[in-house]
């Protein structure tokens, strides 16, 4: 996984034909994409690909290549010349190429691309002739030099800017467009000077040298900062370097018979099955990104170039049929001829994915299983949270309404610089980054923000695309606002907003509001409901929820939870009305005093349970006995201690002594959980009484009691007996359907489960504690190294987010096997946050658990993940 | 284990003949002991035994018996009448019995005994006639009532004392002996009154009633405080109740032709093979205990009653031959006839056990294997520690010289009351309890003391016997001292000693000194050396030692350690000369600063290793890389922070920020161990460099490097690579025989060992951390419940003292299996305190570990335990 290639072929460079059957790991997703389109007979400019293995060699070999690599590149260049009927160095009709990255996974905008290779002092003349526009050719050339100098030769941007400025100053003009051919030639000369001065090297006129340097630059960009951040963010760790694709250029700026940009096989905002796209005539993609001209809607192409439009429509349909998925395509028209440059399945929002999956089932394009597989469970989260309350909007100050770049609401304070976003993120503040526009360099500042608002751009521009990839709220190209990044402010409708002013972004209506707006629950019927009902058909795992309050319980049931899989009882101890009695219990020196204090708590606990039982009706409720260490209930500050001492009528010294006595060096490994119940059986008795009395009151109630942090069979049996004794005392047997079992949170319990599983009705894993104890780091303390550990692939994922299958997983399997050896029918599940994490849910399905329980908002995620796991099993 | 009998016979009472083949669990050690003697043909007074099952029923049945039990007792009483040719109620020759406890294990003096049953108004007359001594009979009777009232009827002691006093006062006398028959009859009457007043019941004249009540009392004493303490102290948890033995009385006070007390088959002080004993003519054991008359040496019996003496000699030889062990016997002579009441193998000190084991091999009584099995490994500890320096004694003030009741030196402050001993124990002070004499009620105060000094008693009296059982230092019966318990002082040779004065007890010479005396190392040659050489012949495990300093290493090698099994490097960080550089390293913000600070530490570390290598010569040294969390090196107190900040030249704020930053919620699960090495590779590099440079300097050195707290294969490989890189950098390969491996301290590592065991030369278990993480409690915090958990049998033993075989043991086995599956020749061992605990060593042998490593003073214990484990295997 983390090591090196074992086998190494001596083939480094591949044409389309040669690459068939070679792993995508070796040739990258871009090759695969181009090749798949070419196989479908689509018009693709010819290309060849330098493999990821070459990149590996490049890095391992001190950023040099063996001669073989250079030979193979040369060989393929000559083939490209032949197939394209063009020649390097041919001033009449030169072969121009693009050099693009292409790792095994798509990483849009993260690595470098060099276009228009090799414009040079000779080919610029050809370009001038070809376009009948000398000024355009020289402007292209100077822009190529600037790009090449920036990306390939690492010359600082401002050096070019200052040269350009000096020429403008000399001529007393303000705009680039006011420069003529002579001026631009001068700029070209100055740029070349700047490169020489800055790097000590000449700008290479030789196309081969340009190519070699561009390839190096692409390889090098694998390790630029934004690519590293992107991979970290997207959990891309299995990738091994990038390949490089050298493709003959096609030009959208060859005149008014040429054009370029993107199209979608369905509407990316409404997800309707309606062709959608944007294009610019006589332009390169660079022009679109640079916000120089506003693109046209794709429909207009039908008027301008009906044949190309028709061909494009046929192509998008073919591609959608082929991929069974909505496509996001790049195309270029060069002198009436259409070329496809890229296609990929649209990175959907959850809502889009659901709508399209349901639509496609209705269009007989895919079946229900396929539809369920189409939606990423982790995306669902975005659908389940609060959305802006429409009624709140009535009175709200609408600042602007623009393009919905990505579908989330965000309500936070505005910041204006990347640095600010980052700093405030470090301080755990949540911010909306407000910018004129964003660029690839901004990626880590976007990571740091909760939402992004830009004045420039539109739904296919950088901010929008990247925000979508990041699942962030983004309103992009909102030209109603004027941003002054320097002053850290923006103006909209004459209103001035400064740093830290609060605004609300609403993705669903593409609006920006002043202040914070109320939010409401999302609507979960419609397509969402349909898809989830399909998911429920396939899943094998039962999905429960962790809920401690009637509100949570109701929410979870709305989200499809089958019942309460974990009700923690400790929050009940913290509530204001009873905290005093709880503290009396803690400072009690003898059992009778403690019993007295517990008697005060009991009615509260009982009522809590009554309320929950009423919500659940006949559904069982799993109650976990008290969990936190006692010192958590006591005050720490001097004046709080004084107050509490007075309140519960003990001396300050006594209370301090109690607090000191309860201090723990490692609270995570201390005196809490079921240990409290063994040491002070009266606590367990009180809880059992409250549960049973509540159950007797709400007649249909089914309390299922689980004992936390059991490590030992005897410990479990002692506690079970305490509960059974209370049941007998209250004549509960036969009147209430109760169950008792142990949680498996202590590694010791997992491995000795065969000693007590026969006395458990169920078993439930507490994977969080299993992780902490088994890996030997607490969640609170792991911050100092866990991030680094994930980066270094010591752990594939943060084991607190996704079950560490090698440890916790293996332990669960051992426990399962041992438990079933003494109690074949035992039900086993997990609760805690892992129960709502897709990979963990899949794991639980795979090892044969019966159920998972998770927080209410994760219930739909768990349902979908469980269905997908079951469907994978069928295959 | 902790539960109840499954099968229950309906037989409750057993005679000698009926008991054969019944478990000792049911009939107790006393039955077994009497029965074994009877089988050998020795003269034993007839008896019957009420089973432990009856005791169980008694407790479960609200302290009552089913009629069957009563019937069976009556039945056996009648049989006893027949075989003894005596009759209950026969005023001419009544059947008198003793009622004694007898659990499956011997618990001397811990439970109640009632002798002289049934003296009553009728039989007292018989006794007077029989002994020709009316005063003696009535004095016996009044003492019987007092004992019966105290033990059986729970009348407070002082009530009897005040009655007795009132009669003395009336008569203006001071001593009991000044009372005549009339006075004693009056005392009897007053005693009976006191019982009636105190309990509302009459003193029972009916022998059957007396018997029944005595049986109840013995059953009841199973749960008296001292019995509970005794069981806890001696880890007696598997016992299920006590049996009761009803035996016909024989009297040592029937006149000058009678006598009683104890004898030993060898000298219990010198352990020479020489008959030793003490006896009193015309006395019961009670008289001896009560310090009324001084007993005679057994040799004198040869003159007084040569036949009885000859018989006794024959019996002791027979018993020693039979048990192959030194015997401690109780006998009584009644009217020229010898009866044996009890025998047991002498509870030896380690020195005695060793001497006798070696002697018995030389006497061809046992073989070497048997000799090795004879000595309890945990006892050895007492031999290995410092003893009083003879040269120090020259100038010391000898206070007294008396009987060496138990063989340890103790140097501590004197206390005079049980309460004081207890209180100071709670405060972790160490004290010597100085008392006139001790009694069974004192047991828990003796537990609380380090040593015991009594003015009365001798080597077979209560203080001496119990101190021996507790492995405590005791000088008993030191009549040179006059103790005033009330004033809390004692006088010896005219010198007054008060509470908290320091004295030294030297068990080996039976001396008491003023002040604290120097101690020296014990001599480990002679019999000790012989026995250990036999042990080494049989053991399979290699025994290594944990040593961080040359001094420890030398000591361990003297104790027979084969080499250093664990050298912790962190103490080196704490030393004064380098702590400043260590702190500079910690506060370093960037790698170069940290490297600079580490460069200062490196020469010190290197020198430490050089010194250790020189001691070890060619023997390998296992070095564990740095372990503690960084914050341990930083100061906590305000003024210390200021000082350190100045010293290492950072601002107080910076230092505070660093300290705050390093704070951990659960240090045991925090940023330390190998995690430091992954995060700051330069620390690992520095340590590796210091080790290798030292090894190069001391040419024969073999550094074996173990990496602590690995939880993950990748983590291990990263760290191993760092060390390998340093090895390459220093050209170590081929010049130094080094090895690298992982410790198994994190449960995760144990279960994933197959992922990296093939890259480890060895593996070593850190069972302490496995316990903490796997059981989920830290050693520092478990105090609040672990004692209770051991008492409740949730854990059989403290898992930090003896390996928790169900958890740690099982995990070790899983790890062993997995490691060997990828690396069949891998060596595996444990280090840490478990490595010197006998049960853990046996476990390690059983699961096939190769080695254990423990602290120097535990090396001989481990050697002996390993030998015993291997010998058990052979059987």
């Amino acid at each position: 996984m983390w090591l090196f290639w074992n086998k190494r072929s001596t083939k480094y460079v591949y044409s389309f034909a040669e690459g068939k059957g070679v792993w995508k790991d070796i040739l990258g997703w871009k090759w695969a994409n181009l090749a798949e389109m070419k196989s479908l007979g689509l018009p693709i400019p010819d290309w060849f690909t330098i493999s990821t293995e070459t990149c590996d060699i490049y890095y391992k070999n001190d950023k040099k290549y063996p001669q073989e690599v250079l030979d193979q590149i040369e060989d393929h260049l000559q083939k490209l010349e032949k197939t394209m009927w063009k020649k390097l160095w041919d001033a009449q009709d030169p072969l121009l190429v693009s050099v693009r990255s292409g790792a095994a996974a798509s990483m849009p905008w993260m690595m470098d691309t060099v276009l228009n290779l090799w414009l040079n002092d000779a080919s610029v003349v050809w370009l001038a002739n070809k376009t009948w526009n000398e000024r355009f050719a020289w402007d292209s050339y100077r822009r190529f030099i600037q790009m090449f100098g920036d990306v390939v030769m690492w010359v600082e941007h401002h050096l070019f800017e200052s040269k350009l400025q000096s020429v403008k100053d000399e001529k007393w003009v303000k705009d680039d467009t006011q420069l003529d051919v002579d001026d631009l030639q001068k700029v070209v000369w100055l740029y070349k000077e700047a490169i020489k001065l800055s790097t000590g090297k000449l700008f290479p006129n030789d196309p081969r040298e340009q190519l070699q340097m561009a390839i190096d630059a692409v390889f090098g960009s694998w390790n630029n900062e934004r690519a590293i951040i992107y991979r970290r963010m997207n959990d891309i760790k299995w990738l091994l370097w990038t390949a490089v694709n050298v493709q003959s250029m096609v030009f959208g700026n060859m005149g008014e018979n040429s054009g370029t940009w993107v199209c979608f096989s369905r509407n990316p905002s409404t997800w309707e099955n309606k062709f959608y796209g944007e294009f610019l005539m006589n332009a390169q993609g660079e022009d679109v990104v640079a916000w120089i001209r506003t693109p046209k809607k794709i429909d207009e192409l039908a008027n301008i170039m009906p044949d190309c439009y028709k061909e494009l429509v046929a192509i998008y349909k073919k591609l959608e049929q082929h991929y069974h998925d909505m496509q996001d395509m790049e195309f270029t028209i060069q002198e009436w001829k259409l070329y496809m440059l890229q296609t990929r399945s649209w990175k959907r929002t959850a809502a889009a994915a659901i709508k399209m999956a349901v639509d496609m089932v209705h269009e007989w394009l895919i079946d229900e299983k396929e539809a369920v597989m189409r939606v990423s469970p982790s995306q669902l989260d975005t659908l389940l949270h609060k959305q802006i309350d429409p009624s709140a909007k009535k009175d709200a100050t609408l600042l602007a309404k623009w393009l919905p770049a990505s579908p989330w609401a965000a309500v936070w304070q505005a910041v204006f610089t990347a640095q600010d976003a980052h700093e405030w993120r470090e301080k755990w503040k949540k911010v909306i980054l407000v910018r004129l526009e964003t660029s690839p360099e901004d990626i880590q500042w976007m990571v740091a923000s909760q939402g992004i608002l830009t004045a420039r751009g539109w739904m296919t521009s950088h901010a929008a695309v990247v925000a979508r990839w990041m699942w962030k709220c983004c309103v992009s190209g909102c030209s109603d606002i004027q941003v002054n990044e320097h002053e850290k402010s923006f103006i909209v409708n004459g209103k001035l907003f400064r740093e830290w002013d609060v605004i609300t972004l609403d993705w669903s209506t593409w609006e920006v509001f002043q202040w914070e707006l109320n939010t409401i629950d999302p609507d979960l019927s419609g397509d969402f409901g349909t898809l989830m009902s399909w998911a429920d058909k396939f899943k094998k795992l039962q999905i429960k929820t962790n809920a401690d309050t009637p509100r949570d319980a109701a929410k979870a049931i709305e989200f499809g939870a089958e019942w309460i899989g974990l009700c923690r009882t400790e929050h009940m101890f913290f509530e204001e009305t009873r905290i005093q009695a709880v503290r009396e219990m803690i400072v009690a020196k003898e059992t009778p005093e403690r019993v007295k204090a517990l008697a005060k708590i009991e009615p509260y606990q009982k009522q809590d349970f009554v309320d929950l039982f009423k919500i659940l009706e006949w559904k069982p409720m799993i109650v976990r006995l008290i969990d936190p260490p006692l010192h958590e209930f006591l005050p720490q500050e001097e004046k709080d201690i004084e107050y509490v001492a007075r309140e519960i009528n003990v001396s300050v010294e006594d209370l301090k002594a109690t607090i000191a006595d309860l201090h723990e060096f490692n609270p995570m490994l201390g005196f809490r959980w079921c240990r409290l119940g063994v040491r002070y059986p009266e606590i367990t008795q009180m809880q059992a009484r409250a549960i049973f009395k509540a159950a007797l009151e709400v007649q249909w109630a089914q309390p299922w009691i689980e004992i936390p942090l059991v490590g030992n069979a005897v410990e479990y049996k002692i506690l079970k007996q305490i509960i059974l004794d209370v049941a007998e005392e209250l004549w509960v047997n036969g009147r209430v359907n109760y169950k008792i079992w142990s949680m498996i949170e202590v590694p010791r319990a997992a491995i000795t489960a065969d000693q007590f599983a026969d006395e458990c009705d169920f078993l439930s894993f507490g994977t969080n504690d299993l992780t902490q104890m088994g890996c030997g780091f607490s969640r609170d303390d792991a911050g100092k190294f866990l991030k680094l550990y994930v980066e270094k692939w010591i752990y594939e994922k943060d084991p607190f987010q996704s079950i560490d299958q090698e440890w916790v997983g293996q332990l669960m399997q051992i426990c399962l096997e041992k438990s079933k050896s003494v109690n074949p029918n035992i039900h086993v599940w997990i609760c805690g946050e892992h129960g709502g994490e897709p990979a963990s849910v899949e794991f639980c399905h795979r090892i044969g658990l019966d159920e998972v329980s998770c927080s209410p908002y994760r219930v739909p995620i768990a349902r979908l993940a469980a269905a997908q796991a079951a469907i994978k099993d069928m295959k």
Side-chain angles (χ1 to χ4, degrees), chain A residues 325-466:
Chain A
D325 206 349
M326 171 174 159
Q327 295 298 298
D328 163 6
M329 298 154 285
E330 288 179 25
F331 65 92
T332 287
I333 298 167
Q334 179 180 320
E335 297 175 313
W336 307 108
K337 175 148 179 43
L338 174 71
Y339 292 94
M340 297 307 291
L341 299 184
Q342 180 172 297
T343 189
R344 57 187 166 205
S345 292
W346 170 236
K347 176 89 177 177
R348 282 169 297 259
T349 64
I354 291 171
K355 176 160 177 46
M356 268 183 290
V358 173
D359 280 359
M360 285 182 187
V361 170
H362 296 149
E363 292 161 24
W364 300 95
L365 210 55
I366 57 177
D367 63 9
E368 290 176 359
K369 270 185 218 154
E370 182 66 32
V372 167
M373 295 303 287
R374 272 297 167 80
V375 180
S376 155
S378 53
Q379 268 181 277
L380 283 190
D381 193 39
T382 59
L383 287 184
L384 305 173
H385 288 282
K386 302 271 177 193
Q387 314 202 340
I388 307 294
D389 179 0
S391 72
K393 291 184 184 175
K394 281 184 201 148
D395 310 316
T397 311
L398 178 65
L399 298 176
K401 184 178 162 91
W402 211 250
L403 296 172
S406 72
W408 294 273
V411 187
W412 298 110
Q413 291 168 293
V415 292
F416 294 85
T417 71
Q419 186 59 27
D420 287 337
H422 185 67
E423 270 175 22
W424 285 89
R425 164 70 165 202
E426 292 284 292
K427 292 170 189 159
W428 298 100
K429 301 268 178 189
K430 292 180 174 177
V431 294
I432 292 173
L433 182 65
V434 182
R435 301 276 284 176
L436 203 58
E437 59 188 331
T438 62
S439 70
E441 284 72 33
D442 291 332
I443 175 165
Q444 60 175 309
W445 321 125
M446 297 173 72
V447 171
S449 308
Q450 299 302 305
I452 297 138
L453 170 62
T454 70
R456 290 192 189 165
W458 49 89
M459 61 180 305
T460 49
S461 64
H462 176 265
V465 172
V466 175

Side-chain angles (χ1 to χ4, degrees), chain A residues 253-295:
Chain A
N253 54 358
M254 280 285 190
E256 289 306 319
N257 56 7
S258 302
T260 194
W261 205 218
V262 297
C263 59
F264 302 90
S265 62
R266 294 178 187 230
N267 185 307
S269 301
T270 62
W271 321 309
E272 283 173 303
N273 187 356
K274 205 163 161 252
F275 190 39
Y276 181 88
E278 291 166 343
F279 73 101
L280 270 178
M281 295 305 291
N282 196 11
Q284 279 197 314
E286 196 191 358
D287 301 317
V288 193
V289 175
W291 183 243
I292 293 164
R293 290 182 290 159
T294 305

